Amino acid sequence: MTRSRTVRAIALGAAALSLAAMIAYLGVWLRVDRLEVGHSDFVPTYVAGTLLREGHGASIYDTAAERPVYERLTPGDHLLTILPYMSPPAAAAVAAPLTLLDLPTAYRVWGLLQLLLLIGATVLVVRAAPWPATTTGAVRVACGGLALAGLGTGEALLLGQWDGMLALGLAVAYACWRRGRMATGAAVLGLAAGLTKPHLCLGLAALLLAWRDRRMILAGLAGVAATVVAGTLVAGPGAWLGMLHANTWEATSTARPMTDLVGLVGVGGEIGGQGTAGRLIGYGLAALAVAVAFAVGRRTRGRPGLLEPALGCAVLLSLLAAPHILPHDMALLSPVIAWTLARLAGRDAAEGQGWPGRWGLRSVALLALLNGAVAVSLTSGRLIDPALVVPPCLLLGAALLWLDARGARLRPAVAPVAIRPGCG
């Protein structure tokens, strides 16, 4: 068998495995019944959207106002506690049109929308990433499939989470930065983060600050400000205190052990326990991760050839630093995996190796390790806490990307797109 046929066979095999994983996720998702839908993470968003549509926007963070809506949606399911709405106010406006549908139908539509956004994010990155000129379409499709088919994607789909929207914002920002449109990319990223999950973007914010591009910083702030203005218009200025209260409740609640979290706050819980000591240790470690992201930004400022490792490292550090993060948030890694596989394919090509070369195989091995850790964290009756298995994989990935960003033995294998600092 010739080399080209071998590569094609490997690519088709990887694509088939990815497709099988996606079909499995969809199969599990389609079997979710109405009772399980009523306990999904989509319900608080649906409840907030319902309150907003019914003219009670100022009450979307008020559990007393939320409970009757919960009881109406889940008759006979007497919940002792309800999961309060914690996302930004403008997000409720995005979900409000879906509340014209019944809850199970809205859950299906929402899940498909987020999955399509994740697919779109991955496709966009695969098209924009710095592949070697010799890379075939089959290889690009296979790498895109590997990036998309992680367990985080399946978990986000199952729970009805927001990660697809944030992943698309990250992918658009990356594509803009590859083309030198720095301010535009920062504005899109700020808008996506402010609308969905700003707590997952702390390291990215540090990276942008360290790049010291005034137009990028102002554009990113403008994107966030747009969501603040929109949220104030739909829910009133008091909504921000409600959001703060809801997130404080989540951060201090004993209903979920800290060790279920898959970031450094969870590691703090392993070290110091569930109380104040564990939280202080976790927040201290998270602050250190943000500081490292800032250092990555300083190291890579003005070096467009290091965009992929710098941005990827910042995303991993953002996940590690997040005050609240669970396995479904690993879906945000789909764009990161796609552009990293492209960069490493370039490195293999520069060393005279065809795909998959040693760098590509190492990245796939790390990807398998991360998915294995996520699988362990999702197992019922598990013998090891998620905080002990997922963060080390994220740390290993961040460390390898940091080495890449430092330029240690690593040089861009393809000519980078010209990036003009300050260009919008």
Side-chain angles (χ1 to χ4, degrees):
M1 182 180 291
T2 65
R3 173 64 186 174
S4 61
R5 290 183 178 179
T6 300
V7 169
R8 183 175 177 82
I10 295 173
L12 289 176
L17 287 175
S18 301
L19 180 60
M22 295 300 296
I23 292 173
Y25 300 153
L26 287 169
V28 173
W29 177 69
L30 289 172
R31 289 197 297 270
V32 173
D33 59 29
R34 183 181 179 90
L35 180 61
E36 292 171 319
V37 170
H39 289 181
S40 71
D41 291 354
F42 175 65
V43 178
T45 301
Y46 187 93
V47 168
T50 300
L51 288 170
L52 187 62
R53 179 174 56 83
E54 294 177 349
H56 305 293
S59 301
I60 60 176
Y61 297 103
D62 184 354
T63 54
E66 291 173 328
R67 181 172 289 278
V69 183
Y70 265 91
E71 293 174 349
R72 191 169 76 220
L73 293 172
T74 57
D77 188 5
H78 301 293
L79 300 173
L80 296 178
T81 60
I82 63 173
L83 182 62
Y85 178 67
M86 294 177 290
S87 298
V94 174
L98 290 180
T99 64
L100 295 171
L101 306 171
D102 61 86
L103 177 61
T105 304
Y107 166 81
R108 301 296 181 191
V109 173
W110 181 257
L112 282 176
L113 174 63
Q114 294 299 317
L115 181 59
L116 288 174
L117 292 177
L118 266 175
I119 294 172
T122 306
V123 170
L124 180 61
V125 169
V126 168
R127 289 176 62 88
W131 298 96
T134 56
T135 306
T136 64
V139 169
R140 299 186 192 207
V141 170
C143 290
L146 290 173
L148 179 65
L151 284 173
T153 296
E155 188 70 359
L157 175 66
L158 187 64
L159 295 177
Q161 276 286 341
W162 284 89
D163 298 274
M165 192 172 294
L166 182 55
L168 181 61
L170 176 63
V172 171
Y174 167 75
C176 287
W177 292 339
R178 281 284 303 167
R179 291 166 172 79
R181 300 169 61 186
M182 309 305 287
T184 302
V188 170
L189 183 58
L191 183 65
L195 183 63
T196 56
K197 297 187 175 186
H199 65 287
L200 297 185
C201 300
L202 300 177
L204 286 167
L207 181 78
L208 263 62
L209 288 173
W211 278 349
R212 292 172 57 186
D213 185 316
R214 182 173 58 87
R215 292 188 62 187
M216 284 186 72
I217 294 171
L218 291 177
L221 290 174
V224 174
T227 66
V228 172
V229 171
T232 303
L233 290 175
V234 301
W240 299 104
L241 289 176
M243 178 180 167
L244 177 62
H245 180 270
N247 281 273
T248 301
W249 174 87
E250 175 65 26
T252 58
S253 174
T254 58
R256 181 189 299 278
M258 288 175 60
T259 52
D260 278 0
L261 303 178
V262 295
L264 293 174
V265 173
V267 175
E270 292 285 355
I271 298 172
Q274 182 72 17
T276 302
R279 297 188 187 282
L280 289 176
I281 294 172
Y283 294 149
L285 293 173
L288 180 61
V290 173
V292 174
F294 187 85
V296 171
R298 291 190 61 183
R299 178 75 184 186
T300 58
R301 182 165 61 92
R303 301 177 68 184
L306 296 178
L307 173 63
E308 284 76 22
L311 190 55
C313 188
V315 173
L316 289 172
L317 291 168
S318 292
L319 296 179
L320 286 164
H324 179 80
I325 181 171
L326 291 167
H328 57 259
D329 293 314
M330 297 300 106
L332 187 60
L333 291 177
S334 293
V336 178
I337 295 166
W339 72 56
T340 300
L341 289 174
R343 178 178 171 84
L344 295 181
R347 177 168 313 143
D348 284 330
E351 295 180 358
Q353 301 181 52
W355 185 90
R358 60 170 182 156
W359 291 108
L361 291 174
R362 288 171 181 176
S363 63
V364 171
L366 180 57
L367 180 58
L369 180 64
L370 174 61
N371 277 290
V374 174
V376 169
S377 72
L378 294 174
T379 304
S380 59
R382 55 181 176 262
L383 299 178
I384 187 168
D385 293 327
L388 289 176
V389 290
V390 178
C393 296
L394 295 176
L395 283 168
L396 177 58
L400 294 176
L401 290 171
W402 166 246
L403 289 176
D404 194 346
R406 284 178 58 86
R409 298 172 54 198
L410 311 178
R411 294 288 183 265
V414 296
V417 173
I419 297 180
R420 299 181 298 278
C423 178

